[in-house]
Amino acid sequence: MAKAQELAGDRVVEVAAGDVGGQVLAAGLIDEVRMDVVPVVFGSGKRFFGSVHAQHLLEDPDVVIHGNRVLHLRYRVRR
């Protein structure tokens, strides 16, 4: 993350979900979480943030965009 922030300068660093996203969330380096929700149930799969063990609270969504069969959400991470 330090290298990504150095290279980004004043721009935004984005991290995908999954194990890496979970590690960065657990380290307290995430300011917001963005999700796209679609009406599909797979029945199995991977957890959105990998195996995060601690509780991380999100604020109420500050952006909610209804698309065609998709819901775009943006949450600030509660500190």
Side-chain angles (χ1 to χ4, degrees), residues 8-14 32 34:
D10 62 348
R11 295 174 295 183
V12 173
V13 174
E14 293 188 11
E32 69 180 29
R34 295 181 183 196

Side-chain angles (χ1 to χ4, degrees), residues 8-75:
D10 62 348
R11 295 174 295 183
V12 173
V13 174
E14 293 188 11
V15 178
D19 290 328
V20 173
Q23 291 170 29
V24 178
L25 179 65
L29 300 173
I30 298 291
D31 295 321
E32 69 180 29
V33 172
R34 295 181 183 196
M35 292 183 207
D36 302 314
V37 180
V38 296
V40 176
V41 177
F42 293 112
S44 67
K46 293 186 174 186
R47 297 173 70 163
F48 194 74
F49 285 111
S51 57
V52 173
H53 299 290
Q55 178 176 335
H56 298 276
L57 299 176
L58 305 176
E59 299 290 344
D60 289 337
D62 62 336
V63 173
V64 177
I65 300 171
H66 297 269
N68 184 15
R69 298 184 50 81
V70 62
L71 182 63
H72 305 283
L73 302 169
R74 185 175 74 191
Y75 300 89

